[in-house]
Amino acid sequence: MSDKKTKVILSGMRPTGKLHIGHYVGALENWVSLQNDYQNYHLIADYHTLTTNLDTTNVYDDSIEMAIDWIACGIDPVKSPMFRQSQIKEHTELFLLFSMLITKARLEKNPTLKEQIKDMKLTGIIYGHLGYPVLQAADILLYKGNMVPVGEDQVPHVEITRHIAGVFNEKYKMKDGRTIFPMPEPKITQFARLPGLDGKAKMSKSLDNTILLSDDGEAIKNKMKKAFTDPDKLRKGDKGNPDICLVYTYHKKFNPEEISEIREGCTSGALGCFDCKMKISSKISDFFAPIREKRNELEKNKNGVLEVLIDGEKRAHEVAKQTMSQVREAMKIG
Ligand code: TRP
């Protein structure tokens, strides 16, 4: 076992249905590469979905779908427990205790929250939504996470986790004087955001600008046809600017071997947008073909996927119980 194995990575996502290729590039690819070197925990943040959507009809199914996508992408649930937050009640207990360690003003300063309020045109903010990063801090610290792989938008949440860990460690210590929590670090992925098909900075289900991991070649082509490109390049022959084109960003990621030809074709006008889009569609389809195949297999055995989660929940629960008993002892409460 390498030294790194003693370091803990806590990664998590809200179950919002089938995952898209932006999730793969922004997060899953990174998770997969980290699983051999670290002790990983993969959290399905089902409680967190309630902060922006009180309709719980799909939470269970969405959680299973997300686990399917994770496993299909190469996350090994035997190595790294995969679990639903709601199945481990210690999350709620630690959330409550942590909520005493941070001010409302500090939470209101969170830029990710401000962005959500603006994007979702919220007129008031639900108490639990304001406390979103406090629950996330409980998720991370319950497993004594040292690292949290995240996109840029999540960095403010990890900062709040660090703040809470600092306040807790300062106030409460174990009998032997040691502190309980590590100071987790965010680990940002290089390609933290894959742009959406509409040219928006981020692929996102709510913006309806995604390519799903489950989309086959045909579906990808059809979606790609509608993708935004350089608005000044109207037809083949027109010179384009690849640096403002989202399709070019996809080429950079999924077709690096042809990137200079694509750039040259676009800037000279020799390559039309339609051909460029068809080229990248097949590249993306090929890239995700093995993942699609695996996820189709898993779809046929959803009970098996549930078993995987139940097993992960048992293992995660053991760790959560230990942390909470340290917390209760240090705080002399509960
Ligand atoms: N906030 C994360 C997201 O929206 C999900 C999440 C919840 C999370 N708890 C976490 C991520 C703990 C990392 C660690 O994607």
Side-chain angles (χ1 to χ4, degrees):
M1 206 202 282
S2 72
D3 279 357
K4 278 183 175 173
K5 264 278 184 201
T6 56
K7 293 248 184 226
V8 173
I9 295 194
L10 195 294
S11 47
M13 256 183 215
R14 275 173 301 165
T16 49
K18 289 182 176 163
L19 299 186
H20 52 70
I21 67 171
H23 288 119
Y24 182 82
V25 171
L28 294 173
E29 194 176 33
N30 198 20
W31 296 8
V32 172
S33 72
L34 293 168
Q35 66 182 342
N36 292 328
D37 294 331
Y38 299 89
Q39 174 59 55
N40 285 258
Y41 292 89
H42 299 298
L43 170 115
I44 298 175
D46 50 0
Y47 278 145
H48 271 113
T49 61
L50 298 173
T51 58
T52 50
N53 183 9
L54 289 173
D55 180 355
T56 49
T57 321
N58 297 324
V59 176
Y60 174 82
D61 285 340
D62 286 349
S63 299
I64 299 285
E65 285 299 326
M66 190 159 83
I68 288 177
D69 280 325
W70 286 359
I71 300 168
C73 285
I75 291 170
D76 178 354
V78 177
K79 274 189 207 146
S80 329
M82 211 177 257
F83 55 98
R84 290 162 294 177
Q85 185 185 38
S86 64
Q87 300 304 303
I88 299 172
K89 296 303 173 197
E90 282 76 2
H91 286 259
T92 59
E93 187 180 358
L94 194 56
F95 168 57
L96 176 113
L97 296 173
F98 281 174
S99 72
M100 309 298 169
L101 305 182
I102 188 159
T103 64
K104 172 170 160 280
R106 177 69 183 81
L107 291 169
E108 281 167 345
K109 264 203 319 215
N110 179 356
T112 300
L113 179 79
K114 285 189 189 161
E115 207 177 298
Q116 277 176 347
I117 292 175
K118 210 173 90 210
D119 287 352
M120 301 177 72
K121 302 189 175 63
L122 301 177
T123 46
I125 175 108
I126 291 168
Y127 173 55
H129 192 175
L130 182 67
Y132 185 115
V134 183
L135 180 56
Q136 186 156 341
D139 298 341
I140 296 166
L141 295 173
L142 205 44
Y143 305 93
K144 303 196 177 178
N146 301 103
M147 277 200 317
V148 191
V150 284
E152 286 152 28
D153 62 321
Q154 295 291 310
V155 173
H157 294 341
V158 181
E159 272 162 16
I160 289 173
T161 302
R162 292 167 62 84
H163 172 83
I164 289 175
V167 174
F168 188 99
N169 285 343
E170 174 72 32
K171 281 198 191 308
Y172 307 106
K173 302 210 170 33
M174 291 193 274
K175 272 205 198 95
D176 59 10
R178 279 183 305 146
T179 52
I180 296 178
F181 296 117
M183 248 329 139
E185 308 267 352
K187 188 169 168 35
I188 305 175
T189 36
Q190 202 193 349
F191 245 92
R193 284 186 174 191
L194 197 63
L197 290 163
D198 55 358
K200 296 243 169 68
K202 199 178 171 185
M203 228 180 231
S204 142
K205 188 189 178 194
S206 56
L207 297 171
D208 195 22
N209 62 4
T210 68
I211 296 172
L212 298 176
L213 291 174
S214 57
D215 283 341
D216 62 13
E218 268 312 292
I220 297 173
K221 276 189 186 147
N222 285 330
K223 286 184 171 178
M224 194 67 74
K225 279 180 197 159
K226 296 182 208 127
F228 278 35
T229 51
D230 176 354
D232 291 331
K233 182 169 164 58
L234 296 174
R235 55 186 67 81
K236 192 171 168 178
D238 291 350
K239 293 181 170 42
N241 178 3
D243 297 323
I244 58 164
C245 181
L246 65 99
V247 178
Y248 184 70
T249 311
Y250 296 170
H251 275 286
K252 275 201 254 181
K253 172 68 195 168
F254 298 106
N255 189 18
E257 57 287 350
E258 286 183 293
I259 197 69
S260 46
E261 276 166 72
I262 299 288
R263 169 171 277 281
E264 165 59 25
C266 178
T267 50
S268 71
L271 177 65
C273 292
F274 182 80
D275 292 341
C276 182
K277 286 174 171 183
M278 291 305 105
K279 235 185 221 282
I280 194 59
S281 297
S282 24
K283 289 282 174 184
I284 293 175
S285 175
D286 291 351
F287 185 95
F288 289 103
I291 290 175
R292 222 159 38 232
E293 220 167 275
K294 182 89 199 279
R295 86 176 303 299
N296 286 342
E297 241 169 69
L298 291 162
E299 284 284 354
K300 290 184 209 140
N301 182 17
K302 287 196 181 173
N303 272 340
V305 177
L306 178 61
E307 298 278 315
V308 165
L309 292 184
I310 291 171
D311 173 64
E313 280 149 14
K314 267 196 207 120
R315 289 185 287 149
H317 194 197
E318 286 310 311
V319 181
K321 275 197 285 199
Q322 260 181 25
T323 306
M324 278 321 296
S325 78
Q326 289 176 337
V327 167
R328 289 187 208 111
E329 196 182 311
M331 291 185 79
K332 302 182 182 63
I333 193 168

